Amino acid sequence: MAVGFGHTAQDRRVRLLGEPVDAYPRVAPEAARGSVRRITVVGEEILGRRCQEVTRFGTTELSRLIDDMFATNQVAEGAGLAANQVDVDLQLFVWDITDEWGVRHVGHIANPVLVEVPAGQRRLIEESEGCLSVPGPYRMVPRLDRAVVRGRDRNGEPLVIEGRGYFARCLQHETDHLRGRLYLDRLARRDRKAALREMAASKDELFARRAALAEKLGK
């Protein structure tokens, strides 16, 4: 998912895997360790099907993948990134996002499942949304303003992550990816075609920008 920013909150501590921490580096340690991978683009087969569950936890390979996803997300100036966006068929996504209240959320989750929000607590918000696999265009997409996701961390420990506002949108967007769905699939056909035309006109410039930032960061 492409990045967005916000304003105020009473407690602005970084939320690491949902828990507040008193100090956190500007660059996530995973992003500092990781290497940049190619981001898949709409039309590639892996983006259009449901990903496989993560079954092996606590491995060097899984940790390296998470590190690389953080690094790739940083270079692409994203808010979140799913494994199939780096051509890996696994139910896994990462996030590093600042919400409307100025709170930064950082983490990863494997095998995420969106918890159904009770009808009385549902509030649908239509806001602009983009995607690193659809480089360039943004479109208005309705999403719930609250999301709860259950899954596992890299070691297989249970995780429950709750988001509101823009972070809730990110959690829903990335979970959609792992089900083989892009935000484009939520648009009317005419709007989808217009977004694809816009992407075709702007993607080369964005790819060059990502490459330049990767070089600047030594990635």
Side-chain angles (χ1 to χ4, degrees):
M1 181 172 175
V3 74
F5 298 95
H7 43 88
T8 60
Q10 289 184 342
D11 183 355
R12 291 196 182 184
R13 287 182 295 173
V14 173
R15 268 47 172 196
L16 180 61
L17 292 176
E19 297 297 326
V21 294
D22 291 328
Y24 195 78
R26 183 182 61 83
V27 176
E30 295 91 341
R33 292 191 300 260
S35 300
V36 173
R37 302 195 186 192
R38 185 186 70 87
I39 296 178
T40 53
V41 178
V42 58
E44 296 187 43
E45 189 268 341
I46 196 169
L47 292 174
R49 57 178 165 83
R50 186 183 183 91
C51 294
Q52 298 183 55
E53 287 192 0
V54 177
T55 57
R56 297 184 63 199
F57 295 92
T59 66
T60 301
E61 291 77 14
L62 184 60
S63 291
R64 184 180 299 118
L65 172 60
I66 291 170
D67 289 352
D68 290 355
M69 289 171 66
F70 267 96
T72 304
N73 187 57
Q74 180 193 24
V75 163
E77 300 175 290
L81 188 72
N84 56 355
Q85 291 183 274
V86 292
D87 205 26
V88 176
D89 186 6
L90 285 176
Q91 291 185 24
L92 172 73
F93 69 80
V94 304
W95 64 90
D96 190 341
I97 173 177
T98 300
D99 66 22
E100 294 94 321
W101 301 277
V103 177
R104 183 182 176 190
H105 302 265
V106 183
H108 67 274
I109 192 166
N111 304 336
V113 176
L114 280 168
V115 178
E116 186 173 356
V117 177
Q121 299 178 25
R122 294 177 187 172
R123 181 167 172 250
L124 204 62
I125 301 294
E126 189 171 12
E127 291 186 346
S128 183
E129 190 167 318
C131 179
L132 300 182
S133 290
V134 189
Y138 283 74
R139 290 296 184 273
M140 300 298 287
V141 178
R143 299 272 190 189
L144 294 176
D145 77 338
R146 175 174 177 259
V148 179
V149 179
R150 297 182 181 272
R152 303 277 176 177
D153 70 10
R154 70 178 72 206
N155 296 314
E157 296 298 320
L159 277 179
V160 179
I161 305 296
E162 180 174 355
R164 293 184 179 275
Y166 189 69
F167 184 38
R169 179 172 293 272
C170 177
L171 294 174
Q172 293 168 85
H173 178 109
E174 302 306 334
T175 301
D176 267 2
H177 267 302
L178 304 181
R179 275 56 179 167
R181 194 173 192 190
L182 301 175
Y183 86 89
L184 293 177
D185 298 319
R186 294 180 175 271
L187 303 179
R189 181 177 297 180
R190 183 176 62 181
D191 292 337
R192 175 186 168 92
K193 288 182 176 180
L196 289 172
R197 286 195 299 270
E198 186 178 328
M199 183 194 79
S202 61
K203 65 179 181 179
D204 289 345
E205 180 180 347
L206 281 174
F207 291 160
R209 179 175 172 174
R210 292 175 188 176
L213 183 53
E215 183 176 0
K216 180 179 179 181
L217 297 173
K219 297 292 185 182

